[in-house]
Amino acid sequence: MRTFPPFFLGACIGVLVLVSQSLSSQECHLHLYGYVRDSSGTHPISYVTVFIEETGIGTLADEKGYFHLEGLCPGASYTLQCTRLGYQGKGLSLSIQSDTGVVLVMQEIGLQLERVEVNALKAGSAHTQAAQSLQGTDLEAGKALGFGESLRRLVGVTTLNTGATIAKPVIQGLHSNRILILNNGVRQESQQWGSEHAPEIDPFLAQEITVIKGAGSVRYGSDALGGVILVQPAPLPKTPGAWGEINLQGMTNGRTGIASGKIEARLKNPKFPLSGRVQGTLKRGGNIRTPDYFLRNTGISEANFSWTARLEKERWNTDVFYSRFYTQLGILRDAHIGNLTDLENAIVRARPLEDGTFSYTLGRPQQQVVHELVKWKTQWASGESSLFQLQFSRQFNRRQEYDAHKRYNALPENVDEAQIQLEITTYRVEADWEHQWAAHVEGNVGLNYMAQTNTTDRGGLLPRYENSVSGAYWIERWKRPDTPLELELGMRYDIQRLTAGPLERSATVERKSFKSWSGTLGAVYSPNHHLTFRANTGSAWRAPHVSELYSEGVHHGSASYEQGTASLQSERAWNNNLTLEWTGDSRETALTVMGYYNLIRDYIFLEPMDEPVLTIRGAFPAFRYSQTNARLTGIDARFSVLASPRWLAEFQASVINGWNTAEKDYLVFMPPSQFRYSLRYKIPAGRGTEKRHFIQVSAQHVLKQRWVPAGADYAPPPDGYLRLDVEGSFFVSLGRQPVELGFSILNALNTEYRDYLNRLRYFAAEPGRNLLLRVRIPFQVALF
């Protein structure tokens, strides 16, 4: 008999009580689509901040001036506000009865004071590079799977997995320290170097996740060689009142239950304009099942919490944000092998020796991770052409890894003592001046400083180290409303100092210093609002991480033995990309093609060693950090067509070739070519709702990775596969209470397959069929 976690059942009961009380909400399901252009009528205005005064719902127009708002109520009166650097603020009063489209015209002048109210505009600083956003239903449908897995819907983004519950994003073949994540404007700092160290971010915190492809090092830091991921929460309310939302989700595979909720409010007192939000998430799941067997010890437990408060005046605002993320992750028990013969047999056998049964018990091996973040940020507008920002943040991350073997005697069943415990504390100060030199030139000048201390309380995989980074950047953008061309130029210089030790191998303390520059030159050409060409070239660098220099020992989370190389040099990348974007009269008919050609000198990678390593803790596949010169070339493409008012078809393709130019051979562990085909049917469901209700069938086609160096892995790449998914989203009303319902059937045909980028593919297959059900209940609370 299947059982669910007690808190999940309790949450369901709570929802029934909530519905029975009929909270003061409306059936708010309408969409508002819009396009913002300049007064000449020929050019779109990009990155305009658009928000509803009465509700605080807001978004950022894309590079072509298009925006989309949802959750509006039939018959309600709204005031739509638009602000953008260098343009006069635009206000529009409207009342809608169905999904509506508007065209807004903004007049170019100096910077307006409303600009200080906008945080998300920082995403616009990388507008010469291709960017994709995940929001709305597409984001909601993937939140139950975790932060990394939810991004797989975006073309060119894959995941590096360790089993079924650990995933981290891969952008155009690069991951970990080469991908920078900004969590609510703060650069995520944890033990992100590990292949099985998933980002410690609650996806239910985000309203929108944006992926910027290519080197974003000038604005965000010296090591963002592969791209930047922006996790953006919803803006806080700008009018008095209180609102909330409850999310309940469940999955059959792993019998996982998730409950997440938030409530936000703004005080009515105009002399003290304070707004805030409280949010939390609970998640519990058990052993995952492949099409043929259960995977032992693959459950998950998660508890997350955050709050934020904001005070804003006419010329300044200040806000404080705190979040705490906790997860307990089981690692596949059959990946920890006792001797070399058993390890070789496990790889040949290609399935666990024991099929296992379902259980919520989290035994050894496992991970326990805590991540805390606190941020204080203030903004001040000086005159009409400059905005100053100062931000301070502190992050604390504790990672504990529990082995399945012990040096002499058998380990206890409990997890009272970890074999590896790493604690890292990061302080970061950032200052930015956003300015407008002239009528058509605007930019950013900034400084940042980071101080970081990592302690190894248990285990010897990494030494204790202290790391500090100082950086300065300067970015300028030129854009005239009477020309379709926009240019961007940016420079950055960073100095990094590292002290590590004492080392386990030599009992010495190592001191290293790295310093270098980064630069970018980009252009956007938009002859009309249908067509955009985007080009970017630049150079960035990345210093080797302590793990790449000095790691030595068993990495329990990935079930592997890893060895660093102390002589590694800094990476130097030359990134070049060209993007074509075309949008039809309907925004749902669109084409995006991006080609990239990236050269990385002294590319650092984890190379399989010739033989596995037998340690006192068992036998493990062994890897060593090596360095070579690399070339990464590829194409990302997406084409969608609205075949009829009811049918929407989409095709995605991602092809990448990783080449070791020094060895004249392929790079190991590059994503295989993959394609995605989807067909969506929009279900008529009454006036104004047909664009929200849908059923979609998708096929994920992944080819076998044949571009691999011969004999560079313990097992050949797995065969390609075709995975079928089905999903849908619907809206119902229980009295006056709106409820959003959704479902997904992942791996609907229960196909058995293995993914090349899963570090545990040597031992087991990927999860089988998984039915996901979700409920979202927005509500308004009558507090004022």
Side-chain angles (χ1 to χ4, degrees):
M1 179 177 179
R2 295 188 173 185
T3 60
F4 288 90
F7 81 82
F8 182 74
L9 299 177
C12 293
I13 296 174
V15 170
L16 295 177
V17 175
L18 174 70
V19 172
S20 66
Q21 291 180 348
S22 297
L23 291 175
S24 56
S25 298
Q26 303 181 50
E27 188 178 353
C28 304
H29 52 241
L30 299 184
H31 283 213
L32 178 65
Y33 299 90
Y35 169 66
V36 187
R37 62 174 175 83
D38 61 14
S39 56
S40 69
T42 58
H43 298 291
I45 304 176
S46 60
Y47 304 117
V48 175
T49 301
V50 183
F51 64 92
I52 302 292
E53 274 193 357
E54 288 77 9
T55 66
I57 297 174
T59 188
L60 195 68
D62 62 18
E63 287 105 331
K64 298 182 180 181
Y66 289 106
F67 67 88
H68 168 216
L69 297 172
E70 60 182 356
L72 305 184
C73 306
S77 296
Y78 295 110
T79 304
L80 184 69
Q81 293 288 353
C82 303
T83 63
R84 207 276 190 197
L85 182 70
Y87 291 84
Q88 183 176 2
K90 179 74 174 182
L92 177 67
S93 298
L94 71 165
S95 177
I96 62 175
Q97 299 295 333
S98 62
D99 291 351
T100 303
V102 297
V103 177
L104 302 174
V105 180
M106 297 186 72
Q107 192 76 29
E108 184 184 14
I109 58 168
L111 178 68
Q112 298 302 296
L113 289 181
E114 290 88 345
R115 175 67 176 82
V116 302
E117 299 179 358
V118 183
N119 290 325
L121 271 177
K122 288 300 151 191
S125 61
H127 61 279
T128 63
Q129 297 170 253
Q132 291 178 280
S133 292
L134 197 62
Q135 57 185 335
T137 303
D138 288 336
L139 177 58
E140 295 295 331
K143 286 182 175 180
L145 302 176
F147 177 78
E149 284 289 342
S150 64
L151 295 177
R152 297 193 67 163
R153 292 172 174 261
L154 302 178
V155 61
V157 181
T158 55
T159 56
L160 182 66
N161 294 69
T162 302
T165 56
I166 302 175
K168 60 192 313 177
V170 179
I171 303 176
Q172 296 177 342
L174 300 177
H175 58 84
S176 300
N177 288 327
R178 299 185 185 95
I179 302 297
L180 196 153
I181 300 176
L182 263 68
N183 182 10
N184 195 11
V186 178
R187 172 173 166 156
Q188 184 84 356
E189 292 288 348
S190 58
Q191 307 286 352
Q192 65 264 31
W193 51 269
S195 63
E196 89 298 355
H197 300 174
E200 299 89 350
I201 296 176
D202 182 2
F204 287 92
L205 183 66
Q207 183 191 49
E208 181 176 6
I209 302 177
T210 301
V211 174
I212 302 172
K213 299 177 182 179
S217 299
V218 171
R219 176 62 182 91
Y220 300 105
S222 64
D223 46 4
L225 271 63
V228 179
I229 301 175
L230 306 176
V231 182
Q232 302 164 327
L236 289 171
K238 295 184 177 296
T239 55
W243 298 265
E245 180 179 288
I246 291 177
N247 286 275
L248 298 175
Q249 300 193 10
M251 295 186 290
T252 57
N253 200 338
R255 306 177 194 177
T256 303
I258 304 171
S260 182
K262 68 177 182 180
I263 188 166
E264 56 190 20
R266 184 180 176 97
L267 297 181
K268 191 174 183 179
N269 186 354
K271 296 182 178 180
F272 192 68
L274 179 67
S275 54
R277 176 189 298 123
V278 177
Q279 179 267 347
T281 301
L282 295 174
K283 181 177 183 179
R284 187 72 171 93
N287 288 346
I288 301 296
R289 181 179 175 84
T290 72
D292 294 330
Y293 49 86
F294 280 100
L295 300 174
R296 293 192 297 162
N297 196 48
T298 52
I300 183 174
S301 177
E302 201 170 290
N304 310 316
F305 171 77
S306 70
W307 62 265
T308 184
R310 179 182 177 93
L311 180 66
E312 55 186 319
K313 292 289 188 176
E314 181 182 17
R315 289 181 174 268
W316 63 271
N317 63 69
T318 186
D319 61 84
V320 179
F321 172 77
Y322 171 82
S323 67
R324 186 182 190 274
F325 179 98
Y326 171 78
T327 186
Q328 185 179 7
L329 295 163
I331 305 297
L332 178 64
R333 179 64 184 85
D334 299 273
H336 282 233
I337 308 298
N339 56 67
L340 291 175
T341 301
D342 289 346
L343 174 62
E344 293 169 355
N345 291 338
I347 294 176
V348 172
R349 186 171 56 247
R351 66 176 290 161
L353 188 61
E354 298 181 27
D355 287 354
T357 59
F358 178 80
S359 173
Y360 282 112
T361 302
L362 289 169
R364 293 172 176 267
Q366 69 166 260
Q367 301 176 3
Q368 294 185 23
V369 185
V370 174
H371 188 88
E372 291 184 327
L373 183 155
V374 60
K375 179 194 81 169
W376 169 75
K377 179 180 179 179
T378 189
Q379 296 177 312
W380 176 60
S382 176
E384 296 184 347
S385 59
S386 67
L387 176 68
F388 294 93
Q389 300 183 74
L390 180 64
Q391 179 171 291
F392 171 82
S393 63
R394 177 190 181 273
Q395 297 180 71
F396 171 77
N397 183 279
R398 177 189 294 123
R399 167 171 289 275
Q400 296 172 309
E401 297 189 2
Y402 297 82
D403 195 5
H405 305 281
K406 194 175 182 181
R407 188 179 300 265
Y408 299 112
N409 301 316
L411 286 168
E413 292 298 324
N414 60 43
V415 288
D416 295 335
E417 182 177 339
Q419 276 58 60
I420 292 180
Q421 179 169 311
L422 305 173
E423 294 184 352
I424 185 169
T425 304
T426 305
Y427 294 91
R428 191 174 183 88
V429 179
E430 301 173 75
D432 180 86
W433 175 39
E434 185 170 352
H435 54 267
Q436 185 173 1
W437 293 113
H440 310 298
V441 180
E442 60 188 54
N444 297 76
V445 176
L447 301 170
N448 54 61
Y449 175 77
M450 182 192 75
Q452 191 173 73
T453 300
N454 183 91
T455 60
T456 303
D457 295 335
R458 296 190 183 97
L461 180 62
L462 288 186
R464 172 189 170 91
Y465 69 86
E466 294 181 355
N467 185 33
S468 66
V469 181
S470 303
Y473 60 88
W474 189 354
I475 304 171
E476 295 296 335
R477 293 174 292 274
W478 175 86
K479 177 71 171 73
R480 290 177 59 94
D482 57 351
T483 178
L485 181 66
E486 183 173 357
L487 300 175
E488 178 183 86
L489 175 66
M491 295 291 294
R492 181 184 183 95
Y493 192 80
D494 290 275
I495 301 174
Q496 179 175 345
R497 294 182 174 88
L498 173 66
T499 302
L503 304 182
E504 185 170 328
R505 284 173 281 182
S506 60
T508 60
V509 175
E510 293 283 339
R511 291 179 173 85
K512 291 182 178 289
S513 179
F514 307 93
K515 59 185 71 175
S516 193
W517 59 274
S518 305
T520 184
L521 174 63
V524 177
Y525 181 73
S526 301
N528 53 62
H529 68 272
H530 290 290
L531 186 63
T532 297
F533 296 94
R534 197 184 317 277
N536 188 277
T537 183
S539 182
W541 71 285
R542 182 183 75 90
H545 189 267
V546 170
S547 63
E548 298 164 333
L549 293 167
Y550 305 120
S551 62
E552 182 76 35
V554 176
H555 193 175
H556 305 289
S558 59
S560 63
Y561 183 94
E562 296 181 5
Q563 185 179 95
T565 303
S567 60
L568 295 177
Q569 303 297 312
S570 295
E571 294 179 335
R572 167 61 65 179
W574 297 89
N575 297 70
N576 308 274
N577 58 73
L578 180 64
T579 306
L580 179 150
E581 298 176 353
W582 174 83
T583 304
D585 293 331
S586 167
R587 289 197 62 202
E588 294 178 291
T589 298
L591 171 67
T592 301
V593 180
M594 176 185 182
Y596 54 93
Y597 182 90
N598 302 330
L599 300 175
I600 305 179
R601 187 185 67 205
D602 295 324
Y603 172 77
I604 301 171
F605 66 105
L606 202 57
E607 181 181 30
M609 297 171 65
D610 294 336
E611 298 291 339
V613 170
L614 178 63
T615 73
I616 55 178
R617 300 190 185 279
F620 299 90
F623 301 85
R624 178 189 295 112
Y625 285 100
S626 300
Q627 202 157 33
T628 188
N629 295 329
R631 182 185 68 221
L632 278 68
T633 58
I635 294 177
D636 294 336
R638 176 183 176 272
F639 176 63
S640 62
V641 57
L642 188 64
S644 74
R646 297 284 181 265
W647 292 97
L648 176 67
E650 182 176 299
F651 168 76
Q652 293 183 3
S654 179
V655 179
I656 179 174
N657 178 277
W659 184 253
N660 186 330
T661 59
E663 300 293 334
K664 308 299 182 184
D665 204 350
Y666 296 109
L667 289 173
V668 70
F669 300 138
M670 286 287 112
S673 300
Q674 47 195 296
F675 309 89
R676 181 181 176 89
Y677 322 90
S678 63
L679 184 64
R680 174 176 295 192
Y681 178 69
K682 303 176 182 180
I683 303 173
R687 184 179 180 183
T689 62
E690 60 187 45
K691 293 186 179 180
R692 301 284 309 274
H693 299 229
F694 69 87
I695 292 180
Q696 177 173 295
V697 179
S698 302
Q700 182 79 16
H701 185 198
V702 179
L703 304 185
K704 181 176 181 177
Q705 179 58 284
R706 302 186 185 276
W707 295 338
V708 294
D713 201 354
Y714 295 104
D719 293 333
Y721 60 88
L722 182 69
R723 195 185 86 172
L724 189 70
D725 299 332
V726 182
E727 64 179 288
S729 181
F730 310 92
F731 290 80
V732 298
S733 297
L734 301 178
R736 299 183 61 189
Q737 174 64 53
V739 178
E740 178 184 353
L741 304 175
F743 77 92
S744 299
I745 307 176
L746 308 176
N747 194 6
L749 300 181
N750 207 30
T751 302
E752 181 171 335
Y753 68 97
R754 296 175 190 241
D755 195 288
Y756 178 63
L757 292 186
N758 193 327
R759 291 286 294 271
L760 299 189
R761 65 179 171 86
Y762 305 121
F763 311 105
E766 297 291 322
R769 184 184 296 113
N770 189 8
L771 172 62
L772 188 156
L773 300 176
R774 59 184 180 87
V775 180
R776 186 175 72 91
I777 306 172
F779 59 89
Q780 183 173 352
V781 182
L783 296 181
F784 306 110

